[in-house]
Amino acid sequence: MSCLMVERCGEILFENPDQNAKCVCMLGDVRLRGQSGFPAERRGSYPFIDFRLLNNTTYSGEIGTKKKVKRLLSFQRYFHASRLLRGIIPQAPLHLLDEDYLGQARHMLSKVGMWDFDIFLFDRLTNGNSLVTLLCHLFNTHGLIHHFKLDMVTLHRFLVMVQEDYHSQNPYHNAVHAADVTQAMHCYLKEPKLASFLTPLDIMLGLLAAAAHDVDHPGVNQPFLIKTNHHLANLYQNMSVLENHHWRSTIGMLRESRLLAHLPKEMTQDIEQQLGSLILATDINRQNEFLTRLKAHLHNKDLRLEDAQDRHFMLQIALKCADICNPCRIWEMSKQWSERVCEEFYRQGELEQKFELEISPLCNQQKDSIPSIQIGFMSYIVEPLFREWAHFTGNSALSENMLSHLAHNKDQWKSLLPRQHRSRDSSGSGPDHDHAGQETESEEGTAREGDSP
């Protein structure tokens, strides 16, 4: 085996125990070089779902020649690597992508704040680059590029890195999901009860956290990583394993791209900390913690959005809502997300069965139907959170619209339930009743990383 040199972009140290204080290397930021010196693709925790990796066996895939590596890259990535990333700057940096937009994509961006925004169509119109295109547009329209004096080419480079660190082979946890969550976050940031208090930093943090909240997701859940003794589970001591990895990988890419290198060190450290706090809030094991706290604030009427701490808490709630908002979309889109996430569950179940592991809850295609999974998820995870969000917004038009879609979609899934389950569901003891009100592995399987559609 040829000798390889490993480059790491550094380490980070956080003192907050809530954020799993330890000094770690950026796992998502490791690059390998062969004798030719040509960098291979970014290597995350899961190039593919490979049982050798899950058992901590060293993965030593061959580093091919420059020509072979190029064949692994999409045309879009090679185009940016060979032109934009070499410093060929367009004449109009704030509209870097405009020349590549189709007319329909441009028209869609003019309505990006509408709740019926079709992210699947937008992804097709942008040739699979929905996340990069959307973020460039939102950073521009929110005035973040000007306010933070960001270099557009550097921003674009960072966003390409984020998009490419999502695994396109995942049916659900891919860059389209990230773009969908980002579009939802944009809608929530515009809610009148919140928008008037937000600073440019709040908006940038919300958009960045939404875009990167599932980066390098392996397509399996935390219990799977733990029972296969995966190195990430060991590293993060079985606590918020995936969320910690998403966060640390994001910081690695921020540092490698040097997007914020011109800002004061204290400011960049604060941004990294707040990004961590936002991304870690998407851990479904903390659902009751956040829901209880939100209810208390609303009951006591003591939210003071002039205070940075309370604004940050509501950004956490907004991200949690955006992460699991698929049941609140129109039926046609919601159904697609439901089918995608269940396909990801079933793939995990098949992998567990293949290697004679216990099949995780909701991952057995023979026993766990899509309608039953979705009804349980909507009843015990989505509805409680979105009711409180509607309370916070004062039952805004968007909140009422989302709750209306949620009720309609739940009825649609009930009509598709196998006949033997319908009487149970109508009596109020739906198919996931045994898992209600507690943080079980079933709930992890359903929504652990925004798994719900």
Short mmCIF file of all heavy atoms in Angstrom, two decimals, residues 177-226:
data_model
loop_
_atom_site.label_atom_id
_atom_site.label_comp_id
_atom_site.label_asym_id
_atom_site.label_seq_id
_atom_site.Cartn_x
_atom_site.Cartn_y
_atom_site.Cartn_z
N HIS A 177 -32.59 17.73 1.27
CA HIS A 177 -33.18 17.92 2.60
C HIS A 177 -32.61 19.18 3.25
O HIS A 177 -33.35 19.97 3.84
CB HIS A 177 -32.90 16.69 3.47
CG HIS A 177 -33.15 16.92 4.93
ND1 HIS A 177 -34.40 17.17 5.45
CD2 HIS A 177 -32.29 16.93 5.99
CE1 HIS A 177 -34.32 17.32 6.77
NE2 HIS A 177 -33.05 17.20 7.12
N ALA A 178 -31.30 19.37 3.15
CA ALA A 178 -30.67 20.55 3.73
C ALA A 178 -31.24 21.82 3.10
O ALA A 178 -31.51 22.82 3.80
CB ALA A 178 -29.16 20.50 3.56
N ALA A 179 -31.43 21.81 1.78
CA ALA A 179 -32.00 22.97 1.10
C ALA A 179 -33.45 23.21 1.55
O ALA A 179 -33.87 24.35 1.74
CB ALA A 179 -31.94 22.78 -0.41
N ASP A 180 -34.19 22.13 1.74
CA ASP A 180 -35.58 22.25 2.19
C ASP A 180 -35.66 22.85 3.59
O ASP A 180 -36.48 23.73 3.85
CB ASP A 180 -36.23 20.86 2.17
CG ASP A 180 -37.70 20.90 2.52
OD1 ASP A 180 -38.47 21.53 1.77
OD2 ASP A 180 -38.09 20.30 3.55
N VAL A 181 -34.79 22.40 4.48
CA VAL A 181 -34.76 22.94 5.84
C VAL A 181 -34.35 24.42 5.80
O VAL A 181 -34.89 25.25 6.55
CB VAL A 181 -33.80 22.12 6.72
CG1 VAL A 181 -33.60 22.77 8.09
CG2 VAL A 181 -34.33 20.70 6.89
N THR A 182 -33.41 24.76 4.94
CA THR A 182 -32.96 26.15 4.82
C THR A 182 -34.08 27.05 4.32
O THR A 182 -34.27 28.17 4.82
CB THR A 182 -31.75 26.23 3.87
OG1 THR A 182 -30.70 25.38 4.36
CG2 THR A 182 -31.23 27.66 3.78
N GLN A 183 -34.85 26.57 3.34
CA GLN A 183 -35.97 27.37 2.84
C GLN A 183 -37.03 27.56 3.93
O GLN A 183 -37.59 28.65 4.08
CB GLN A 183 -36.59 26.69 1.61
CG GLN A 183 -37.61 27.53 0.86
CD GLN A 183 -39.03 27.35 1.40
OE1 GLN A 183 -39.35 26.31 2.00
NE2 GLN A 183 -39.88 28.34 1.16
N ALA A 184 -37.29 26.52 4.71
CA ALA A 184 -38.24 26.63 5.82
C ALA A 184 -37.72 27.61 6.86
O ALA A 184 -38.47 28.45 7.39
CB ALA A 184 -38.49 25.26 6.45
N MET A 185 -36.42 27.55 7.16
CA MET A 185 -35.83 28.46 8.13
C MET A 185 -35.98 29.90 7.65
O MET A 185 -36.30 30.80 8.45
CB MET A 185 -34.35 28.11 8.33
CG MET A 185 -33.70 28.84 9.48
SD MET A 185 -34.40 28.34 11.07
CE MET A 185 -33.19 28.99 12.21
N HIS A 186 -35.78 30.13 6.37
CA HIS A 186 -35.97 31.47 5.81
C HIS A 186 -37.40 31.96 6.06
O HIS A 186 -37.61 33.12 6.45
CB HIS A 186 -35.67 31.45 4.31
CG HIS A 186 -36.06 32.68 3.58
ND1 HIS A 186 -35.50 33.92 3.80
CD2 HIS A 186 -37.01 32.88 2.61
CE1 HIS A 186 -36.05 34.82 3.01
NE2 HIS A 186 -36.97 34.21 2.28
N CYS A 187 -38.38 31.09 5.88
CA CYS A 187 -39.78 31.46 6.13
C CYS A 187 -40.00 31.81 7.60
O CYS A 187 -40.69 32.79 7.92
CB CYS A 187 -40.71 30.32 5.72
SG CYS A 187 -40.77 29.98 3.95
N TYR A 188 -39.40 31.03 8.49
CA TYR A 188 -39.59 31.27 9.93
C TYR A 188 -38.89 32.56 10.37
O TYR A 188 -39.38 33.26 11.27
CB TYR A 188 -39.07 30.09 10.75
CG TYR A 188 -39.77 28.78 10.46
CD1 TYR A 188 -39.16 27.56 10.72
CD2 TYR A 188 -41.04 28.75 9.90
CE1 TYR A 188 -39.79 26.36 10.46
CE2 TYR A 188 -41.68 27.56 9.63
CZ TYR A 188 -41.05 26.37 9.91
OH TYR A 188 -41.68 25.18 9.64
N LEU A 189 -37.76 32.86 9.77
CA LEU A 189 -37.05 34.09 10.12
C LEU A 189 -37.85 35.33 9.72
O LEU A 189 -37.58 36.42 10.22
CB LEU A 189 -35.67 34.12 9.45
CG LEU A 189 -34.67 33.05 9.90
CD1 LEU A 189 -33.37 33.16 9.09
CD2 LEU A 189 -34.37 33.16 11.39
N LYS A 190 -38.81 35.16 8.83
CA LYS A 190 -39.64 36.27 8.39
C LYS A 190 -40.90 36.44 9.22
O LYS A 190 -41.66 37.38 9.00
CB LYS A 190 -40.04 36.07 6.92
CG LYS A 190 -38.89 36.18 5.93
CD LYS A 190 -39.33 35.75 4.54
CE LYS A 190 -40.51 36.56 4.06
NZ LYS A 190 -41.01 36.11 2.74
N GLU A 191 -41.14 35.54 10.17
CA GLU A 191 -42.32 35.66 11.02
C GLU A 191 -42.27 37.01 11.77
O GLU A 191 -41.27 37.32 12.42
CB GLU A 191 -42.39 34.51 12.02
CG GLU A 191 -42.87 33.20 11.43
CD GLU A 191 -44.38 33.16 11.26
OE1 GLU A 191 -45.04 34.23 11.25
OE2 GLU A 191 -44.92 32.05 11.11
N PRO A 192 -43.34 37.80 11.71
CA PRO A 192 -43.32 39.14 12.32
C PRO A 192 -42.92 39.13 13.80
O PRO A 192 -42.23 40.06 14.25
CB PRO A 192 -44.76 39.62 12.13
CG PRO A 192 -45.25 38.90 10.92
CD PRO A 192 -44.60 37.55 10.97
N LYS A 193 -43.35 38.13 14.56
CA LYS A 193 -43.03 38.09 15.99
C LYS A 193 -41.54 37.95 16.25
O LYS A 193 -41.05 38.26 17.34
CB LYS A 193 -43.77 36.92 16.65
CG LYS A 193 -45.26 37.10 16.78
CD LYS A 193 -45.62 38.05 17.92
CE LYS A 193 -47.13 38.09 18.14
NZ LYS A 193 -47.50 38.93 19.29
N LEU A 194 -40.82 37.46 15.25
CA LEU A 194 -39.38 37.21 15.41
C LEU A 194 -38.53 38.17 14.59
O LEU A 194 -37.49 38.65 15.05
CB LEU A 194 -39.08 35.76 15.00
CG LEU A 194 -37.65 35.23 15.17
CD1 LEU A 194 -37.23 35.28 16.65
CD2 LEU A 194 -37.55 33.81 14.64
N ALA A 195 -38.98 38.46 13.37
CA ALA A 195 -38.14 39.15 12.39
C ALA A 195 -37.64 40.51 12.87
O ALA A 195 -36.48 40.89 12.62
CB ALA A 195 -38.90 39.32 11.07
N SER A 196 -38.48 41.26 13.56
CA SER A 196 -38.10 42.62 13.93
C SER A 196 -36.98 42.67 14.97
O SER A 196 -36.35 43.71 15.16
CB SER A 196 -39.32 43.37 14.48
OG SER A 196 -39.86 42.72 15.61
N PHE A 197 -36.71 41.54 15.62
CA PHE A 197 -35.68 41.50 16.65
C PHE A 197 -34.36 40.92 16.14
O PHE A 197 -33.33 41.04 16.80
CB PHE A 197 -36.15 40.66 17.85
CG PHE A 197 -37.33 41.22 18.57
CD1 PHE A 197 -38.61 40.78 18.28
CD2 PHE A 197 -37.17 42.22 19.53
CE1 PHE A 197 -39.71 41.31 18.94
CE2 PHE A 197 -38.27 42.75 20.19
CZ PHE A 197 -39.54 42.29 19.90
N LEU A 198 -34.37 40.29 14.99
CA LEU A 198 -33.19 39.56 14.52
C LEU A 198 -32.10 40.51 14.03
O LEU A 198 -32.36 41.48 13.32
CB LEU A 198 -33.57 38.59 13.41
CG LEU A 198 -34.51 37.45 13.81
CD1 LEU A 198 -34.89 36.62 12.59
CD2 LEU A 198 -33.87 36.56 14.88
N THR A 199 -30.86 40.18 14.38
CA THR A 199 -29.69 40.89 13.87
C THR A 199 -29.15 40.16 12.65
O THR A 199 -29.49 38.99 12.41
CB THR A 199 -28.60 40.95 14.95
OG1 THR A 199 -28.11 39.61 15.19
CG2 THR A 199 -29.15 41.54 16.25
N PRO A 200 -28.29 40.79 11.86
CA PRO A 200 -27.66 40.07 10.74
C PRO A 200 -26.94 38.80 11.20
O PRO A 200 -26.95 37.79 10.48
CB PRO A 200 -26.69 41.10 10.16
CG PRO A 200 -27.31 42.42 10.48
CD PRO A 200 -27.95 42.24 11.83
N LEU A 201 -26.33 38.85 12.38
CA LEU A 201 -25.65 37.66 12.88
C LEU A 201 -26.65 36.53 13.15
O LEU A 201 -26.38 35.37 12.82
CB LEU A 201 -24.87 37.98 14.16
CG LEU A 201 -24.12 36.81 14.81
CD1 LEU A 201 -23.11 36.20 13.84
CD2 LEU A 201 -23.43 37.26 16.09
N ASP A 202 -27.80 36.86 13.73
CA ASP A 202 -28.82 35.85 13.97
C ASP A 202 -29.26 35.20 12.66
O ASP A 202 -29.39 33.97 12.58
CB ASP A 202 -30.05 36.48 14.64
CG ASP A 202 -29.78 37.00 16.03
OD1 ASP A 202 -28.95 36.41 16.74
OD2 ASP A 202 -30.41 38.01 16.41
N ILE A 203 -29.47 36.01 11.65
CA ILE A 203 -29.93 35.49 10.35
C ILE A 203 -28.87 34.59 9.73
O ILE A 203 -29.18 33.49 9.24
CB ILE A 203 -30.30 36.65 9.42
CG1 ILE A 203 -31.49 37.42 9.99
CG2 ILE A 203 -30.62 36.14 8.02
CD1 ILE A 203 -31.80 38.71 9.25
N MET A 204 -27.62 35.03 9.75
CA MET A 204 -26.57 34.21 9.18
C MET A 204 -26.42 32.89 9.93
O MET A 204 -26.27 31.83 9.31
CB MET A 204 -25.23 34.96 9.18
CG MET A 204 -24.11 34.16 8.50
SD MET A 204 -22.58 35.08 8.25
CE MET A 204 -21.94 35.12 9.93
N LEU A 205 -26.47 32.93 11.25
CA LEU A 205 -26.38 31.70 12.03
C LEU A 205 -27.53 30.75 11.71
O LEU A 205 -27.32 29.54 11.55
CB LEU A 205 -26.38 32.03 13.52
CG LEU A 205 -25.09 32.62 14.10
CD1 LEU A 205 -25.33 33.17 15.49
CD2 LEU A 205 -23.98 31.57 14.12
N GLY A 206 -28.74 31.30 11.61
CA GLY A 206 -29.89 30.46 11.31
C GLY A 206 -29.77 29.78 9.97
O GLY A 206 -30.05 28.58 9.83
N LEU A 207 -29.35 30.52 8.95
CA LEU A 207 -29.22 29.95 7.61
C LEU A 207 -28.07 28.94 7.53
O LEU A 207 -28.21 27.87 6.92
CB LEU A 207 -29.03 31.06 6.59
CG LEU A 207 -30.22 32.02 6.40
CD1 LEU A 207 -29.86 33.13 5.42
CD2 LEU A 207 -31.47 31.27 5.95
N LEU A 208 -26.93 29.27 8.13
CA LEU A 208 -25.80 28.34 8.10
C LEU A 208 -26.11 27.05 8.85
O LEU A 208 -25.79 25.95 8.38
CB LEU A 208 -24.55 29.00 8.71
CG LEU A 208 -23.83 30.05 7.87
CD1 LEU A 208 -22.65 30.63 8.65
CD2 LEU A 208 -23.34 29.45 6.55
N ALA A 209 -26.73 27.17 10.01
CA ALA A 209 -27.07 25.97 10.79
C ALA A 209 -28.06 25.10 10.03
O ALA A 209 -27.94 23.87 10.03
CB ALA A 209 -27.64 26.37 12.15
N ALA A 210 -29.03 25.72 9.38
CA ALA A 210 -30.00 24.95 8.60
C ALA A 210 -29.32 24.22 7.44
O ALA A 210 -29.60 23.04 7.17
CB ALA A 210 -31.10 25.87 8.08
N ALA A 211 -28.42 24.92 6.77
CA ALA A 211 -27.76 24.32 5.60
C ALA A 211 -26.84 23.17 5.99
O ALA A 211 -26.71 22.19 5.24
CB ALA A 211 -26.96 25.40 4.87
N ALA A 212 -26.21 23.25 7.15
CA ALA A 212 -25.18 22.27 7.51
C ALA A 212 -25.61 21.31 8.61
O ALA A 212 -24.81 20.49 9.06
CB ALA A 212 -23.91 23.01 7.95
N HIS A 213 -26.87 21.36 9.03
CA HIS A 213 -27.27 20.63 10.24
C HIS A 213 -27.16 19.11 10.11
O HIS A 213 -27.10 18.41 11.11
CB HIS A 213 -28.70 21.00 10.63
CG HIS A 213 -29.75 20.31 9.81
ND1 HIS A 213 -30.05 20.68 8.52
CD2 HIS A 213 -30.56 19.27 10.11
CE1 HIS A 213 -30.99 19.88 8.05
NE2 HIS A 213 -31.33 19.02 8.99
N ASP A 214 -27.14 18.57 8.88
CA ASP A 214 -27.03 17.12 8.68
C ASP A 214 -25.84 16.75 7.81
O ASP A 214 -25.81 15.66 7.23
CB ASP A 214 -28.31 16.57 8.04
CG ASP A 214 -29.35 16.19 9.07
OD1 ASP A 214 -28.98 15.85 10.19
OD2 ASP A 214 -30.56 16.24 8.73
N VAL A 215 -24.85 17.62 7.72
CA VAL A 215 -23.74 17.39 6.78
C VAL A 215 -23.01 16.08 7.12
O VAL A 215 -22.82 15.73 8.28
CB VAL A 215 -22.78 18.60 6.80
CG1 VAL A 215 -21.94 18.65 8.07
CG2 VAL A 215 -21.91 18.62 5.56
N ASP A 216 -22.66 15.34 6.10
CA ASP A 216 -21.94 14.05 6.22
C ASP A 216 -22.77 13.02 6.99
O ASP A 216 -22.22 12.16 7.68
CB ASP A 216 -20.57 14.26 6.89
CG ASP A 216 -19.64 13.06 6.67
OD1 ASP A 216 -19.76 12.40 5.62
OD2 ASP A 216 -18.80 12.78 7.54
N HIS A 217 -24.09 13.10 6.87
CA HIS A 217 -24.95 12.11 7.54
C HIS A 217 -24.78 10.75 6.86
O HIS A 217 -24.82 10.64 5.65
CB HIS A 217 -26.42 12.55 7.46
CG HIS A 217 -27.32 11.80 8.38
ND1 HIS A 217 -27.64 10.48 8.19
CD2 HIS A 217 -27.96 12.19 9.51
CE1 HIS A 217 -28.45 10.08 9.15
NE2 HIS A 217 -28.66 11.10 9.97
N PRO A 218 -24.59 9.69 7.66
CA PRO A 218 -24.30 8.38 7.08
C PRO A 218 -25.52 7.62 6.58
O PRO A 218 -25.37 6.56 5.97
CB PRO A 218 -23.65 7.63 8.24
CG PRO A 218 -24.29 8.22 9.45
CD PRO A 218 -24.45 9.69 9.12
N GLY A 219 -26.72 8.10 6.87
CA GLY A 219 -27.91 7.37 6.45
C GLY A 219 -28.36 6.32 7.44
O GLY A 219 -29.25 5.52 7.13
N VAL A 220 -27.75 6.28 8.61
CA VAL A 220 -28.18 5.41 9.71
C VAL A 220 -28.27 6.26 10.96
O VAL A 220 -27.70 7.35 11.03
CB VAL A 220 -27.20 4.23 9.93
CG1 VAL A 220 -27.22 3.28 8.75
CG2 VAL A 220 -25.77 4.74 10.17
N ASN A 221 -28.97 5.74 12.00
CA ASN A 221 -29.19 6.57 13.18
C ASN A 221 -28.17 6.29 14.28
O ASN A 221 -27.29 5.42 14.14
CB ASN A 221 -30.62 6.40 13.70
CG ASN A 221 -30.93 4.97 14.11
OD1 ASN A 221 -30.03 4.14 14.26
ND2 ASN A 221 -32.20 4.67 14.27
N GLN A 222 -28.29 7.03 15.36
CA GLN A 222 -27.32 6.91 16.45
C GLN A 222 -27.28 5.52 17.08
O GLN A 222 -26.17 5.00 17.31
CB GLN A 222 -27.62 7.97 17.53
CG GLN A 222 -26.73 7.84 18.77
CD GLN A 222 -26.89 9.00 19.71
OE1 GLN A 222 -26.44 10.09 19.42
NE2 GLN A 222 -27.52 8.77 20.85
N PRO A 223 -28.42 4.89 17.39
CA PRO A 223 -28.34 3.54 17.96
C PRO A 223 -27.56 2.56 17.09
O PRO A 223 -26.86 1.68 17.60
CB PRO A 223 -29.81 3.12 18.10
CG PRO A 223 -30.54 4.42 18.25
CD PRO A 223 -29.81 5.39 17.37
N PHE A 224 -27.67 2.73 15.77
CA PHE A 224 -26.91 1.86 14.86
C PHE A 224 -25.41 2.08 15.04
O PHE A 224 -24.63 1.12 15.07
CB PHE A 224 -27.32 2.15 13.42
CG PHE A 224 -26.67 1.24 12.40
CD1 PHE A 224 -27.25 0.04 12.06
CD2 PHE A 224 -25.47 1.61 11.79
CE1 PHE A 224 -26.65 -0.79 11.12
CE2 PHE A 224 -24.87 0.79 10.86
CZ PHE A 224 -25.46 -0.42 10.52
N LEU A 225 -24.99 3.34 15.14
CA LEU A 225 -23.57 3.63 15.32
C LEU A 225 -23.07 3.08 16.64
O LEU A 225 -21.95 2.58 16.73
CB LEU A 225 -23.33 5.15 15.26
CG LEU A 225 -23.71 5.85 13.96
CD1 LEU A 225 -23.38 7.34 14.06
CD2 LEU A 225 -22.99 5.24 12.77
N ILE A 226 -23.91 3.16 17.67
CA ILE A 226 -23.49 2.69 18.99
C ILE A 226 -23.34 1.17 18.99
O ILE A 226 -22.33 0.63 19.47
CB ILE A 226 -24.50 3.14 20.06
CG1 ILE A 226 -24.45 4.67 20.21
CG2 ILE A 226 -24.22 2.46 21.40
CD1 ILE A 226 -25.53 5.23 21.13
#
